[in-house]
Amino acid sequence: MDELEARLFDHPALDAMRYGSDAARERAQAATGLPDPVVSLGINNFPIFDPSFDTFLPTNKAIGIRQQIPNRAGREARSAEALRRAVQNDAATDMRFAELRAALQIALIEKRRIEAQRILAEERDAKYAELEEIVQTEIDSGRPVVFRLAEIDVERAEVARTLAELEGQLSQVDAQLIDLVGLVPATPAPALTVLDWNGDAQAFHLVRVADKAIDVADAGVDQAEADYQPNWGAQLTYQQRDQGSGAPGSTFAGDDWVSGAVTFTIPLWAESRQAPALRAAKADREAARARYMAAARTASAQYAAFDATRRAADESIAVFQQKIDAIADQVAAQLTTYESGIGDYSPIIDGEIATIALRAQIALEQSRRDNAIARMNALLVTR
């Protein structure tokens, strides 16, 4: 089972989710960086009708660089949001693995149930064949029980139909196993024990994922609040001038110029942009908190429902076992009567057939019980 779980751990669906977490962490790092600087090359005040770089005083060749600096609080909030999304995705990956592991366990449990019911159906068919011989002997001896042969034929047809259905169910389970682990293993179904819930909602995968979603929403609020703060910028321009004579009768020295500036934003339109964005972020946070409460209710209800199914299956198994014991007593009494020379053997076979049918029901209830345990355990965080 450990080897199968190791194969399951490498399931493509889980790999895709892990890549999603890696991508979110890379985005968190990228969010703290600055945008690329902008380099500009240009010519200023170039004369049109007398093209020249050294005859007009303001003419210059310029090279500049500009750097935008988004406010640090906003960058950190965006980074935190991406990082928290990665953590949420990690929790969702753990939940998905638990679901796939439960699916694997259930598939193996179903294979065990199908095999048990197949063996019992074959035993039942063999008993019908034996009963058919006994009834035929009774008919040959003059007893009017011809109708019993027709009943046996109908019941054997039902057994054949059951075997065909079991074969189809086995094919479906094998296909599911191939989807989960890439092969049809011969591994027996695991012996499952119930993981008790301690009453803490955080013990459920679904609730933990919802809790991480609140953290993401908190980062969204921080980002919206940071949008009120100014974004800065700086730019520097070097202007190269050629020495020239200027206008007729005058000269000018061709000294170079340097220009610089600092920019910052003012939240002048905050009521129409930042304020609605902040209200939306806070609404998203409240929605995440509501989903957390809903997840807690859903998870606890699912746990209770699966636990009820498990208990009901155990009770059904006990009832079927009591019926088997009662039939065994009746068969023993009938066998004593038959050995004393009174009555015939067919009621004994009927009792054995009824016992086989009840054992098949027990196998079904055991499967239902173990399936419920697997699903219950999958709801809880185990690591």
Side-chain angles (χ1 to χ4, degrees):
M1 193 65 194
D2 291 339
E3 293 178 2
L4 290 181
E5 289 190 7
R7 295 178 67 93
L8 187 66
F9 188 79
D10 295 328
H11 194 280
L14 297 176
D15 284 341
M17 297 183 74
R18 294 188 192 100
Y19 280 124
S21 295
D22 293 341
R25 287 186 170 87
E26 295 298 337
R27 291 189 184 96
Q29 182 177 351
T32 59
L34 296 176
D36 292 336
V38 178
V39 176
S40 61
L41 301 172
I43 298 173
N44 295 322
N45 306 310
F46 190 72
I48 297 176
F49 299 107
D50 185 16
S52 174
F53 283 101
D54 59 1
T55 59
F56 187 49
L57 177 64
T59 301
N60 61 80
K61 305 168 187 176
I63 179 171
I65 184 170
R66 183 173 72 251
Q67 176 67 61
Q68 293 299 115
I69 308 173
N71 72 77
R72 185 177 182 85
R75 286 182 284 133
E76 290 179 347
R78 285 189 292 272
S79 177
E81 182 180 19
L83 188 59
R84 292 175 185 180
R85 287 191 185 279
V87 174
Q88 181 193 17
N89 197 64
D90 289 341
T93 303
D94 291 342
M95 181 173 69
R96 182 58 178 155
F97 176 72
E99 292 170 349
L100 291 177
R101 181 173 55 191
L104 174 61
Q105 293 170 348
I106 289 172
L108 295 176
I109 291 168
E110 287 299 293
K111 278 184 71 72
R112 180 183 62 191
R113 187 265 304 170
I114 292 169
E115 180 62 19
Q117 289 189 321
R118 184 188 64 80
I119 293 173
L120 291 170
E122 291 174 350
E123 290 182 7
R124 188 178 174 187
D125 188 64
K127 288 295 180 182
Y128 278 128
E130 184 179 351
L131 180 60
E132 191 174 23
E133 292 179 0
I134 294 173
V135 171
Q136 187 62 52
T137 301
E138 293 177 354
I139 293 172
D140 294 341
S141 65
R143 297 190 60 185
V145 289
V146 178
F147 69 92
R148 190 69 177 100
L149 287 178
E151 291 177 351
I152 293 173
D153 288 340
V154 171
E155 291 166 356
R156 294 190 72 177
E158 180 64 23
V159 171
R161 187 186 66 82
T162 298
L163 286 170
E165 286 186 354
L166 291 174
E167 189 65 28
Q169 292 173 12
L170 182 61
S171 297
Q172 292 176 358
V173 172
D174 287 346
Q176 185 178 11
L177 285 169
I178 292 174
D179 176 58
L180 290 170
V181 295
L183 52 84
V184 179
T187 306
L192 299 179
T193 57
V194 176
L195 298 177
D196 290 329
W197 175 40
N198 60 9
D200 181 11
Q202 287 283 343
F204 292 118
H205 280 292
L206 187 64
V207 175
R208 190 173 69 157
V209 172
D211 182 59
K212 302 306 179 185
I214 295 177
D215 294 338
V216 174
D218 285 337
V221 173
D222 293 340
Q223 185 175 337
E225 290 176 342
D227 203 24
Y228 281 91
Q229 299 184 23
N231 295 315
W232 294 84
Q235 61 186 41
L236 183 68
T237 304
Y238 173 75
Q239 297 167 314
Q240 189 267 325
R241 298 172 57 245
D242 292 340
Q243 185 175 359
S245 59
S250 65
T251 61
F252 63 85
D255 197 6
D256 296 338
W257 294 338
V258 174
S259 300
V262 173
T263 64
F264 58 91
T265 61
I266 300 174
L268 186 61
W269 317 117
E271 286 303 315
S272 60
R273 193 177 74 85
Q274 285 93 334
L278 179 58
R279 291 194 297 269
K282 290 181 177 180
D284 286 340
R285 181 171 61 185
E286 293 305 315
R289 290 172 176 170
R291 284 192 289 269
Y292 174 88
M293 299 300 296
R297 291 185 181 184
T298 298
S300 60
Q302 289 177 343
Y303 187 89
F306 290 138
D307 191 40
T309 299
R310 176 186 66 87
R311 295 178 184 275
D314 277 334
E315 293 175 0
S316 296
I317 291 171
V319 171
F320 287 138
Q321 190 59 53
Q322 290 176 357
K323 291 183 178 180
I324 289 174
D325 294 339
I327 292 174
D329 293 338
Q330 294 173 3
V331 168
Q334 188 67 32
L335 182 60
T336 301
T337 302
Y338 175 76
E339 290 175 347
S340 67
I342 303 174
D344 53 49
Y345 197 73
S346 58
I348 297 172
I349 301 297
D350 286 333
E352 293 174 347
I353 291 173
T355 298
I356 292 172
L358 289 171
R359 287 167 58 195
Q361 287 296 319
I362 288 177
L364 180 62
E365 291 300 320
Q366 288 174 338
S367 174
R368 190 162 72 102
R369 177 198 61 196
D370 292 344
N371 287 353
I373 293 174
R375 295 184 187 280
M376 287 173 64
N377 293 346
L379 294 174
L380 297 172
V381 179
T382 56
R383 61 173 180 171

